[in-house]
Amino acid sequence: MRRAVTAAAVLAAVAAVPFTPVASAAAPYKGANTAAVQDDFNGDGYRDLVVAAPYAANGSVEAAGAVVVLYGSSGTVSAARRTVITQATAGVPGDPEDHDRFGETVAAGDLDRDGYADLIVGTPHEDVGAKAARGSVTVVWGGPNGLKGATSIAPPAGYGQGMTYCRFGMSLATGDMDGDGAPELSVGSGCEGASYTGPFARTGAAAAVSRQTVTGETRGVVMGDVNGDGRAERFWLPGPTDGDLRGPVWVDTGSSAPAKLPYADGHAGRVGDLNGDGYGDLVTGISEDESLANETGAAHRGGEIQVLYGGPQGITAGQHPQVFHQNTAGVPGTAEDGDEFGQSLAVGDVNGDHYADVLVGSPGEAVGTRSRAGTAVLLRGSASGLTTAKAVGYTQDTAGVPGAVETGDAFGAAVHLADLDKDGKAETVVGAPTENSDGCVWVARGSVSGPVPSGSFNVCGRSAGISTYEVKGYFGAATTSVHVEM
């Protein structure tokens, strides 16, 4: 979409289209920056689920993009209790145009420190003025009645000067780096990173803005507390570089220039406490193997994930990562060219044992003779860290998982773990964006033994309010957990 990105607020209401009205809730504690508040857009105490459909149509406008919020409750989520947001929604800046792909990336955080989560939407392929794929980032504000009012987040002054196809919004992350209860916002792109210090005004203005020029392209960015001081660290992941196809990792504490972690690799990542020691651990994914990169030195065949463990000193330069792939003993499946193991990642506690688990998407995995049917693999956290004990893989051939395995479904292109019904155990969410013409997400409740396929269900794009035209809608292509953006 061609427009000038500004930081001007557009405070008209975002049109909500839930079939069942979203109940108002008493205002939560102001300034809270807990995990729950980062996902709870209406303050009812339940975390909400964001599912993007970046190729959804707006009438005959192809791949304009849409984002659906499914509101959590004691009965988990459903298509009936939702809000759909597009660039045609009243109050959202801009207009839908062909291949804007609004919602290519999504994140959440309480940017204005009012106690309600705000939705952050990346549209990295959006044209801005005469600049093709300049990219844009939009914030839709949370409140007692859900999401209402939106504004653009402007790139920093001098951003991408002399560069083209920057794809601002290619990655998004939030985390409180200064301990004031308001998360900072980090935005990656194909040109350079951008950092915004909270709290934000509803004009879109941040307390401070800076450019991250040390790492250049920032395919991924991750935020989380890895040293236990109550403040997030930031990790910039530039993506494949000359001589380092696995991708370097830079750590940024906010108090000094970013420092490279020489033994770490990754294209996308998440932070969570896998061993229950009170320190966040960094999990990164590298899904591009040599068959996809057409070069040597890429990820292990089929893709891999890496883990670096936090501690009192955080994650230090001398640490070597723990590496998992489908040839690691105990990991379900077999490593094959183009499996894309690590294309998506989620971290959460699926069984209430207080160890974070890791869900890994592998959308390129063949199931029998059906290519790119996809799979998702759950690895368990423990006192000794991430382990393959009780690891399990899920496909649409798994007993209890609805649907059928079909060529090209890409089950696992996006994954998510979050406690949507407040029972202390995360639901497992897996996107299959090319299932049928609209795409679907699979949702399974957590239990003391882990995800429960029996009684699990699909939510598909059309039932959740998106439209398609001549191309698939890709509902389930992105969640607020991460996927590797190409």
Side-chain angles (χ1 to χ4, degrees):
M1 192 208 75
R2 300 183 184 277
R3 62 177 172 84
V5 171
T6 71
V10 184
L11 297 180
V14 174
V17 288
F19 288 172
T20 302
V22 177
S24 299
Y29 170 68
K30 300 298 186 291
N33 188 35
T34 64
V37 168
Q38 287 183 328
D39 284 342
D40 183 3
F41 299 106
N42 63 348
D44 65 355
Y46 292 95
R47 300 177 73 170
D48 305 316
L49 173 62
V50 180
V51 183
Y55 285 81
N58 187 274
S60 62
V61 179
E62 201 70 87
V67 177
V68 179
V69 175
L70 303 173
Y71 290 95
S73 72
S74 59
T76 194
V77 295
S78 75
R81 199 164 177 267
R82 69 176 193 258
T83 294
V84 181
I85 299 167
T86 74
Q87 285 183 301
T89 300
V92 173
D95 300 295
E97 291 190 355
D98 283 335
H99 295 278
D100 274 356
R101 288 154 61 179
F102 179 80
E104 190 94 351
T105 55
V106 286
D110 180 14
L111 297 186
D112 59 354
R113 202 169 49 183
D114 67 349
Y116 300 95
D118 307 306
L119 174 65
I120 307 148
V121 182
T123 312
H125 297 280
E126 183 164 35
D127 296 344
V128 179
K131 296 179 179 179
R134 174 74 167 180
S136 69
V137 172
T138 303
V139 177
V140 188
W141 303 103
N145 295 308
L147 293 158
K148 180 182 291 187
T151 189
S152 295
I153 299 295
Y159 166 82
Q161 192 166 3
M163 294 182 272
T164 58
Y165 304 103
C166 280
R167 293 162 291 158
F168 183 69
M170 190 179 191
S171 55
L172 303 166
T174 61
D176 184 5
M177 296 185 72
D178 56 15
D180 67 351
E184 278 58 65
L185 171 65
S186 302
V187 180
S189 79
C191 290
E192 58 193 14
S195 306
Y196 300 82
T197 300
F200 285 70
R202 290 209 168 190
T203 61
V209 183
S210 63
R211 296 160 55 203
Q212 176 49 261
T213 59
V214 174
T215 61
E217 178 175 327
T218 47
R219 176 177 289 195
V221 60
V222 192
M223 300 182 75
D225 180 10
V226 298
N227 63 3
D229 66 353
R231 302 183 180 193
E233 285 70 49
R234 175 167 41 216
F235 299 87
W236 294 106
L237 283 62
T241 62
D242 290 343
D244 190 355
L245 295 180
R246 283 182 165 88
V249 177
W250 295 73
V251 60
D252 176 9
T253 64
S255 60
S256 58
K260 188 175 180 181
L261 298 175
Y263 303 110
D265 308 290
H267 298 167
R270 295 289 280 179
V271 168
D273 187 1
L274 307 181
N275 57 7
D277 64 355
Y279 302 101
D281 308 309
L282 175 65
V283 185
T284 62
I286 313 125
S287 61
E288 190 175 61
D289 63 11
E290 293 182 357
S291 73
L292 298 175
N294 293 315
E295 294 183 60
T296 59
H300 185 278
R301 186 183 186 190
E304 66 186 71
I305 68 167
Q306 298 188 3
V307 181
L308 289 164
Y309 292 94
Q313 305 304 315
I315 293 173
T316 61
Q319 289 187 54
H320 290 257
Q322 185 181 18
V323 180
F324 296 85
H325 44 72
Q326 287 182 298
N327 281 342
T328 301
V331 174
T334 302
E336 299 166 312
D337 288 349
D339 282 348
E340 296 179 313
F341 183 81
Q343 166 65 21
S344 58
L345 290 172
V347 178
D349 182 3
V350 300
N351 59 356
D353 65 356
H354 305 294
Y355 301 110
D357 309 302
V358 178
L359 186 63
V360 185
S362 183
E365 177 89 7
V367 179
T369 60
R370 291 152 293 190
S371 62
R372 291 197 61 79
T375 187
V377 171
L378 181 68
L379 303 176
R380 301 298 185 93
S382 72
S384 59
L386 195 62
T387 175
T388 62
K390 299 183 180 179
V392 60
Y394 300 97
T395 74
Q396 289 182 300
D397 264 356
T398 300
V401 175
V405 170
E406 298 170 306
T407 297
D409 279 350
F411 185 82
V415 295
H416 190 57
L417 294 173
D419 182 10
L420 305 173
D421 57 6
K422 211 161 58 172
D423 68 351
K425 307 166 194 68
E427 272 84 355
T428 294
V429 180
V430 180
T434 43
E435 170 89 4
N436 304 324
S437 63
D438 50 351
C440 301
V441 293
W442 171 59
V443 182
R445 286 180 180 269
S447 75
V448 292
S449 58
V452 183
S454 177
S456 64
F457 58 93
N458 280 344
V459 177
C460 296
R462 284 200 181 91
S463 70
I466 75 155
S467 300
T468 60
Y469 186 51
E470 293 182 347
V471 300
K472 295 189 175 191
Y474 278 67
F475 180 78
T479 70
T480 53
S481 293
V482 297
H483 62 281
V484 175
E485 182 63 26
M486 307 302 285

